[in-house]
């Protein structure tokens, strides 16, 4: 299956935003070793994609709320069909169908962004002054040459942590600078990826369903760790996209989670009933706990 339509779409959005910033007066030449018109074009590629996917993101949150509300029934089914995995799966799928809850909806926005990521990866990988096919996907020669020389703090946006000496020579880049910029961005990418998953889990809680819990653990720990290796092959421009997307996700999730707060779960209600005098522990995005309350002495009877 040809992915040319994705490459054309990504190129069109990038070139449109670059032309817009150029028209506004953002310098085309590097300032502080950075071509801000191209960096802003990547940033607003994220904004464009996230605006398009916003309705899907809201559906994801609503589906997660429905899944949370069903946790007591899921737990009852697990107790009822303990040891009979096949029957349990059938009963749970019937429950999800009846209540119109989709366990896979939580991953849908991420899957829909994969074509965008692949399109940008392919587009930036082509940015090489020696590339003879400069006018593919709607680019002009001048646009291609401009993007090929675009830099972030003197590191080309098409450069990678794992770029060979020959590739860096073609880009006219310093290998040490590219590795430092790419390495720092990979660490930021890992950190923000972890925080986006942690933010959601802190607000919604860990799932009772083992499969859902496994997905949550994969999102929280597996994906950030995998970026330590895969990040070395990502062009710097792609990492900028990923970090920007994560920051956008953190803000968007905070807004949506406030607008659609999670329902109280049965386990929280039971805990509150058993321990009415103990306040629930709260933690922020970085796991900070609320200060413990100092018990007050009861007033002496008159």
């Amino acid at each position: 299956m040809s992915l040319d339509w994705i490459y054309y779409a990504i190129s069109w959005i990038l070139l449109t935003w670059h032309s817009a910033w150029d028209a506004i007066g953002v310098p085309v030449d590097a300032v502080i070793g950075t071509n801000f018109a191209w960096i802003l074009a990547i940033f607003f590629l994220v904004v464009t994609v996230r605006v398009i996917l916003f309705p899907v993101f809201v559906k994801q949150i609503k589906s997660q709320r429905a899944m949370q509300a069903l946790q007591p029934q899921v737990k009852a089914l697990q107790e009822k069909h303990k040891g009979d995995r096949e029957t349990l799966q059938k009963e749970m799928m019937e429950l999800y169908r009846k209540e119109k809850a989709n366990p896979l909806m939580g991953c849908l926005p991420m899957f829909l962004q994969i074509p965008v990521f692949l399109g940008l990866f392919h587009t930036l990988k082509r940015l090489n002054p020696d590339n003879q096919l400069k006018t593919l996907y709607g680019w002009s020669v001048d646009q291609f040459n401009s993007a090929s020389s675009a830099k972030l703090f003197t590191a080309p946006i098409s450069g990678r942590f794992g770029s060979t000496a020959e590739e860096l020579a073609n880009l006219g880049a310093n290998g040490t600078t590219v590795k430092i910029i790419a390495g720092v961005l990979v660490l930021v990418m890992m950190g923000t990826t972890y925080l986006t998953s942690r933010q959601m889990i802190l607000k919604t809680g860990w799932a009772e369903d083992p499969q859902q819990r496994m997905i949550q653990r994969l999102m929280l720990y597996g994906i950030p760790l995998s970026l330590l290796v895969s990040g070395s092959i990502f062009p710097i421009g792609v990492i900028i996209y990923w970090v920007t997307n994560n920051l956008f996700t953190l803000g968007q999730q905070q807004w949506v989670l406030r607008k659609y707060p999670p329902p109280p779960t049965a386990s929280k209600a039971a805990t509150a009933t058993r321990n009415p005098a103990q306040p629930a522990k709260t933690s922020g995005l970085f796991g900070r706990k609320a200060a413990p309350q100092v018990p007050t002495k009861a007033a002496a009877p008159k």
Side-chain angles (χ1 to χ4, degrees):
M1 178 180 176
S2 175
L3 297 178
D4 283 357
W5 66 275
I6 295 176
Y7 306 147
Y8 273 104
I10 297 302
S11 296
W12 183 83
I13 296 173
L14 274 177
L15 296 175
T16 300
W17 278 115
H18 180 265
S19 298
W21 295 118
D22 189 23
I24 291 173
V26 175
V28 176
D29 296 330
V31 178
I32 322 177
T34 302
N35 298 88
F36 286 100
W38 285 109
I39 302 300
L40 287 171
I42 295 174
F43 178 86
F44 277 88
L45 169 64
V46 175
V47 175
T48 304
V49 172
R50 295 310 295 258
V51 168
I52 294 172
L53 293 181
F54 184 74
V56 179
F57 185 78
V58 173
K59 286 184 178 180
Q60 173 198 22
I61 297 296
K62 289 182 176 180
S63 178
Q64 288 176 334
R65 295 293 178 268
M67 292 293 295
Q68 281 184 287
L70 292 176
Q71 289 307 308
Q73 298 180 57
V74 169
K75 197 167 184 178
L77 287 175
Q78 290 172 342
E79 292 293 331
K80 180 180 178 181
H81 301 291
K82 187 180 294 184
D84 189 353
R85 191 173 185 83
E86 184 177 352
T87 304
L88 174 62
Q89 290 296 328
K90 288 181 180 178
E91 292 285 341
M92 287 177 60
M93 293 307 297
E94 178 62 23
L95 176 64
Y96 293 152
R97 185 195 64 78
K98 181 180 177 182
E99 300 295 336
K100 297 180 180 179
N102 188 351
L104 299 179
M105 182 59 73
C107 301
L108 184 58
M110 182 183 69
F111 286 136
L112 290 178
Q113 291 185 75
I114 289 176
V116 181
F117 175 82
L118 292 176
L120 183 62
F121 181 89
H122 178 79
T123 300
L124 294 182
K125 191 175 67 171
R126 294 182 59 252
L127 295 179
N128 187 317
D130 293 338
N131 192 336
Q132 300 300 316
L133 302 175
K134 299 183 178 182
T135 57
L136 275 179
Y137 313 131
W139 291 68
S140 69
V141 174
D142 289 341
Q143 289 171 331
F144 187 92
N145 290 334
S146 175
S148 296
S149 60
K151 295 177 174 61
L152 174 67
F153 301 123
T154 72
I157 61 174
S158 58
R160 300 172 289 113
F161 185 89
S163 292
T164 64
E166 183 181 355
E167 290 171 338
L168 293 172
N170 289 337
L171 294 171
N174 179 279
T176 303
T177 301
V178 170
K179 280 182 168 51
I180 291 174
I181 298 298
V184 170
L185 285 175
V186 167
L187 293 177
V188 175
M189 176 173 64
M190 292 173 62
T192 52
T193 300
Y194 171 81
L195 290 177
T196 55
S197 298
R198 179 175 172 80
Q199 181 189 50
M200 183 65 72
I201 292 173
L202 285 176
K203 293 292 184 180
T204 61
W206 288 96
E208 295 286 344
D209 179 25
Q211 290 183 340
Q212 290 295 308
R213 185 180 287 260
M214 183 179 67
I215 293 174
Q216 285 179 319
R217 290 188 181 278
L218 175 64
M219 298 288 289
L220 184 62
Y221 302 114
I223 293 180
L225 287 175
S226 69
L227 295 175
L228 186 61
V229 178
S230 58
S232 64
I233 66 172
F234 294 163
I236 287 174
V238 171
I239 304 176
I240 294 172
Y241 171 89
W242 194 304
V243 171
T244 304
N245 186 62
N246 285 344
L247 296 175
F248 200 98
T249 299
L250 285 169
Q252 192 178 66
Q253 282 183 170
Q254 185 66 23
W255 181 85
V256 173
L257 289 169
R258 286 181 181 273
K259 188 173 179 63
Y260 301 99
T265 60
S267 59
K268 289 181 180 179
T271 303
T273 303
R274 288 195 303 268
N275 304 298
Q278 295 181 0
K281 293 182 179 179
T282 57
S283 57
L285 186 58
F286 296 93
R288 294 190 295 269
K289 296 182 179 179
Q293 294 183 354
V294 178
T296 56
K297 294 183 179 180
K302 294 183 180 179

